[in-house]
Amino acid sequence: MSLTIEAPMFQHPALERAKAHLGALIGYDSVSSRSNRALIDYAAETLAKLGAEVAILPNDEGTKANLIARFGPAGVAGVVLSGHTDVVPANEDTWLTPPFAADEREGRIYGRGACDMKGFDACVLAAAGAFAKADLKRPVYICFSYDEEVGCLGAPAVARWLADLDVPPELAIIGEPSEMKLITGQKGKIAMRAHVKGTSGHSSFAPEHVNAVEYAARIISAIAERAKRYQLEGPFDNDFTVPHATMLATMISGGVATNVTPDSCSFTFELRSISGMDAEGDMKALLDGIDADIVAKMKAKSASCGVTWERIFAYPAMGEARGSVGFERYAHLMTEWGGKVSYGSEGGVFETIGNIPAVIIGPGSIKQAHKPNEFVDIEQLEQCLAFLDDLTAELEKPL
């Protein structure tokens, strides 16, 4: 009787380091409402020990920070590896294991942020030793940001810092989960809140009042009509799953009792735009039209009534990097194209503020992001590490 012994599967030599870093990163409760400074300090110490030139960019309050670390020569166009450090909240009651403690089982690592996007950050930290040892002819910039999940608030400072270099980077690689497929487009977003002010009184005298909830409903109907026009008229980009801009109301609150005409109502709404359209112009035209029509009718009944528009946040769409010098230099490393995505990323910030073409490629699936029991497949981490190996070799090539 013969015994067949299967050869062990290949394991990337940096995998255990990546897993260790991922465990550490998940252990930092870096929900966007909290500080990320402890995580940034961990990453900065790791990279500085390897010889990186490290810069910390704190926010105005000093409670949060971005990190920029460079390996390789200054004064030459290089590559950005960009990852955010904040995560969405975790409802612990729905998790099988504590969300801020990494749990490895069945070929996966579970934990809040494992997929979005601490898996990528961990791989970059694990690859940093190779960056340090390599004879890089072009630099690699490791950029970790804060508050991506609540509107890409940290990334603009990173993009400006890079743009001010004597020779800025020529490509930004955003490590959002894409199953290691190349993503060449991402929608932008404008998030708004409307505060509708009417007049109140006993509901039996409703015709004498300005019903804030009813006027909010009229405004929401106008938003829905604008959304329908995008669906019918475009502009279109069929590389997106939803090939046009979208607009919708998302949350609403108003009124105090069933027998009181409501004098206030607030609701939020959003516009998700595709590259090439004038998202700011479209939003302004919509609000101007609502002011001229619906709000004017409110004021005709009572001059104290109206709508206050509040911008919550905005980030730009990411355009097409293909054809740029930076993309073409590294395109052969990113062979499987995954189209364009409707979720947000910091890619449009690098492109718009830093004039740095950007693409998305990272481990994990976006389908696992923001969910209870979030995970990243270990195989995806290995693919990311292999990609970073190839990138290192490319950066070593003579100019």
Side-chain angles (χ1 to χ4, degrees):
M1 179 178 176
S2 61
L3 179 64
T4 302
I5 300 177
E6 294 185 1
M9 294 181 63
F10 170 77
Q11 176 174 300
H12 193 283
L15 178 61
E16 292 304 318
R17 287 200 304 276
K19 289 162 65 173
H21 284 307
L22 181 53
L25 296 179
I26 290 173
Y28 292 105
D29 181 352
S30 55
V31 171
S32 305
S33 60
R34 303 184 180 114
S35 175
N36 75 332
R37 289 302 301 260
L39 189 158
I40 288 295
D41 290 345
Y42 169 85
E45 182 179 359
T46 299
L47 297 169
K49 284 182 177 178
L50 294 170
E53 293 286 336
V54 176
I56 304 294
L57 310 180
N59 65 353
D60 291 340
E61 299 76 20
T63 56
K64 300 181 181 182
N66 301 309
L67 175 149
I68 302 173
R70 190 194 83 243
F71 289 100
V76 183
V79 174
V80 173
L81 297 174
S82 171
H84 64 79
T85 59
D86 62 316
V87 297
V88 299
N91 181 352
E92 297 196 24
D93 291 341
T94 60
W95 284 72
L96 297 178
T97 56
F100 296 105
D103 182 69
E104 181 180 343
R105 62 183 188 271
E106 299 175 346
R108 297 169 174 173
I109 295 178
Y110 289 81
R112 176 55 85 216
C115 167
D116 184 17
M117 58 183 295
K118 293 180 176 180
F120 176 79
D121 297 347
C123 287
V124 171
L125 291 176
F131 295 146
K133 294 176 182 177
D135 183 18
L136 300 181
K137 304 300 190 298
R138 296 180 182 275
V140 57
Y141 294 90
I142 297 171
C143 300
F144 291 164
S145 67
Y146 66 86
D147 282 2
E148 187 271 352
E149 296 288 5
V150 290
C152 298
L153 303 184
V158 176
R160 286 191 291 269
W161 193 96
L162 294 170
D164 287 341
L165 294 172
D166 291 339
V167 182
E170 60 184 357
L171 182 69
I173 297 173
I174 317 298
E176 291 282 358
S178 70
E179 298 177 305
M180 293 307 297
K181 296 177 182 178
L182 171 66
I183 304 296
T184 56
Q186 153 246 307
K187 289 187 176 181
K189 180 174 177 176
I190 302 174
M192 300 288 297
R193 183 178 288 110
H195 301 275
V196 184
K197 184 180 184 301
T199 59
S200 66
H202 197 286
S203 61
S204 62
F205 294 97
E208 300 177 7
H209 309 145
V210 178
N211 189 323
V213 168
E214 289 187 357
Y215 276 97
R218 296 184 193 184
I219 297 171
I220 290 172
S221 179
I223 291 169
E225 285 298 317
R226 185 64 186 94
K228 190 68 173 179
R229 283 177 51 203
Y230 283 127
Q231 186 176 355
L232 296 175
E233 302 171 9
F236 299 102
D237 185 339
N238 289 319
D239 289 334
F240 286 100
T241 304
V242 179
H244 52 78
T246 58
M247 181 177 277
L248 76 158
T250 53
M251 294 188 294
I252 187 167
S253 175
V256 294
T258 60
N259 58 353
V260 177
T261 303
D263 64 354
S264 65
C265 184
S266 296
F267 66 91
T268 61
F269 63 104
E270 67 170 39
L271 166 62
R272 288 187 183 264
S273 59
I274 62 175
S275 179
M277 63 179 280
D278 182 6
E280 295 290 347
D282 282 10
M283 180 63 74
K284 183 178 186 303
L286 173 72
L287 302 189
D288 287 349
I290 292 171
D291 285 340
D293 180 16
I294 300 172
V295 176
K297 291 173 181 175
M298 297 175 68
K299 290 183 175 296
K301 293 193 69 173
S302 174
S304 66
C305 297
V307 178
T308 302
W309 305 106
E310 175 193 354
R311 176 171 293 215
I312 303 171
F313 65 78
Y315 56 79
M318 184 178 82
E320 181 61 75
R322 288 178 293 184
S324 67
V325 172
F327 177 84
E328 294 305 320
R329 192 185 311 281
Y330 307 100
H332 64 283
L333 306 179
M334 303 173 283
T335 57
E336 186 175 2
W337 186 57
K340 300 179 180 182
V341 294
S342 296
Y343 63 75
S345 87
E346 295 170 336
V349 175
F350 283 99
E351 177 188 354
T352 304
I353 295 178
N355 198 30
I356 303 169
V359 297
I360 296 171
I361 184 168
S365 169
I366 195 65
K367 295 178 181 179
Q368 304 305 324
H370 299 191
K371 286 185 176 182
N373 304 301
E374 177 182 351
F375 68 83
V376 64
D377 286 310
I378 292 174
E379 181 183 4
Q380 286 280 302
L381 298 179
E382 293 203 76
Q383 289 184 31
C384 185
L385 292 168
F387 168 74
L388 294 173
D389 286 343
D390 292 341
L391 177 63
T392 304
E394 187 66 30
L395 295 171
E396 288 184 297
K397 289 184 178 179
L399 300 179

